[in-house]
Amino acid sequence: MKFTILLFLFSITLSAQIKGIVVDENDKPISYVNISVENENAGTTSEENGTFSITVSKDKNLIFSALGFEKRTIKASETEKVILKETTLNLDEVVIAKRLETKKVEIGENKNSVFQAFDNGPRIDTKFFPYLLSYKKTKYIKKVTLETDSKIADATIKLHFYSVDENGYPGTELLERDFTAVVKQGITKSIFDLTAYNLRMPKKGIFVGFEKLIIEKNKSEKTVTDSNTKTTQVKTTYWPFVLYSFVERDFQYILSGGKWSRKTGKENGKLPAKIMVYEPAINLILTN
């Protein structure tokens, strides 16, 4: 029994509040860096000034990733100052073409869906948009819509746009820099304009994902009292919550702990069975 208690106390002492800052090679702070605990659904985000704080065992590995910078994996005890190197993305050449914008179609809308709000935590949830031949007439992605629930004003969220790799997973990001957006208070549908990015619908389809930012600006605290024990504790929430619809899909991809996981149904003969999943309420508006 004494040995067990000693082991328990030792495991507690390993956890500590790790504080640090993320900067580029010119010592300039990097905002909204995704910081995840390797192989765990835990993490945080760097603040606008590059600083961060996370409670984790010092021997754990932290993964630092931001669009436009090389990903780094560093032991938590060595993250007082993290330097990320800029990287050159091999994006398709941008061709400036005359856009008519005389046609518009919204894709991804789920009719008769019941939306629910979830706190997705420190991970990226995605929605897949397959390519259809009919999109030839509306090949540009003009806008993205996102349905959210927020108890605070001007909550900030990050959106991601991924190509499809050779294995069907989310591949490279299609934008050069992080796309951050602000959503209003309440249950609302936000529309964000992508015209300036000249983003086309890829022939293999596109994954669109959202990332909750674990930052002070998005945080609210509430003191909660347990009716049975009469004890109180402070409940911390990070906004916004994104709304989800419960739909039938072939698969679902989630980025957590620094790696993508794929959820599919059991094999049924040669074809995989469809599954019911909670999918983020994200739509795309295409134009010509």
Side-chain angles (χ1 to χ4, degrees):
M1 177 63 72
K2 290 182 179 179
F3 180 70
T4 303
I5 293 174
L6 285 173
L7 281 180
F8 178 72
L9 292 175
F10 179 71
S11 65
I12 290 177
T13 59
L14 288 177
S15 293
Q17 187 179 42
I18 304 296
K19 293 184 178 181
I21 185 170
V22 188
V23 299
D24 64 15
E25 294 174 282
N26 296 316
D27 212 34
K28 182 180 178 180
I30 306 176
S31 305
Y32 308 145
V33 176
N34 181 294
I35 305 167
S36 58
V37 182
E38 189 175 36
N39 298 322
E40 294 184 13
N41 185 28
T44 188
T45 311
S46 68
E47 298 287 340
E48 190 171 355
N49 63 1
T51 61
F52 70 92
S53 175
I54 184 172
T55 301
V56 65
S57 297
K58 291 184 177 181
D59 61 343
K60 294 287 186 179
N61 287 331
L62 298 183
I63 302 172
F64 295 79
S65 61
L67 195 54
F69 296 89
E70 293 182 5
K71 182 186 293 185
R72 289 195 65 186
T73 301
I74 308 173
K75 194 168 292 295
S77 60
E78 301 171 0
T79 57
E80 183 177 351
K81 184 175 184 179
V82 177
I83 301 174
L84 299 185
K85 296 181 179 180
E86 287 196 53
T87 183
T88 302
L89 298 179
N90 296 320
L91 300 175
D92 294 335
E93 182 182 358
V94 176
V95 178
I96 305 300
K98 184 178 180 180
R99 297 172 59 163
L100 302 175
E101 299 197 9
T102 57
K103 299 178 181 179
K104 186 177 72 171
V105 58
E106 185 168 358
I107 63 173
E109 197 168 12
N110 296 307
K111 297 182 180 180
N112 303 319
S113 295
V114 177
F115 292 101
Q116 300 186 48
F118 294 103
D119 182 359
N120 74 311
R123 70 185 197 212
I124 299 176
D125 289 359
T126 65
K127 179 174 181 176
F128 179 64
F129 295 83
Y131 178 81
L132 301 178
L133 287 177
S134 60
Y135 296 161
K136 277 188 174 182
K137 298 179 180 179
T138 51
K139 58 186 176 182
Y140 294 101
I141 301 177
K142 180 178 177 61
K143 296 179 180 179
V144 58
T145 73
L146 182 70
E147 298 193 46
T148 56
D149 180 8
S150 180
K151 302 299 183 185
I152 64 174
D154 300 329
T156 302
I157 199 168
K158 189 187 292 185
L159 297 177
H160 296 267
F161 303 87
Y162 301 99
S163 63
V164 181
D165 72 10
E166 63 276 8
N167 298 313
Y169 278 69
T172 57
E173 299 233 26
L174 297 174
L175 302 184
E176 292 183 347
R177 294 291 178 182
D178 284 330
F179 186 94
T180 55
V182 175
V183 301
K184 296 180 180 179
Q185 189 172 5
I187 299 176
T188 183
K189 182 176 182 178
S190 299
I191 303 176
F192 307 108
D193 197 331
L194 299 173
T195 303
Y197 297 94
N198 206 49
L199 188 60
R200 300 189 185 198
M201 186 69 177
K203 294 293 180 66
K204 290 184 178 181
I206 187 172
F207 287 95
V208 182
F210 80 92
E211 177 185 345
K212 175 168 287 191
L213 302 182
I214 314 299
I215 56 178
E216 288 295 316
K217 178 178 178 290
N218 289 345
K219 185 172 74 173
S220 69
E221 294 182 334
K222 180 180 180 181
T223 302
V224 180
T225 303
D226 188 302
S227 58
N228 296 319
T229 63
K230 305 302 179 183
T231 58
T232 61
Q233 62 177 355
V234 177
K235 180 182 179 181
T236 301
T237 303
Y238 291 92
W239 302 99
F241 285 12
V242 168
L243 300 185
Y244 289 68
S245 54
F246 194 53
V247 294
E248 186 179 67
R249 290 289 182 259
D250 293 319
F251 51 76
Q252 185 181 45
Y253 289 91
I254 295 172
L255 180 66
S256 178
K259 61 183 180 180
W260 288 104
S261 62
R262 171 171 170 157
K263 181 179 180 182
T264 60
K266 295 181 179 180
E267 293 294 327
N268 182 13
K270 295 183 179 180
L271 297 175
K274 289 184 179 294
I275 55 174
M276 297 300 296
V277 300
Y278 283 103
E279 182 179 76
I282 301 173
N283 295 344
L284 295 177
I285 297 175
L286 307 181
T287 189
N288 59 337

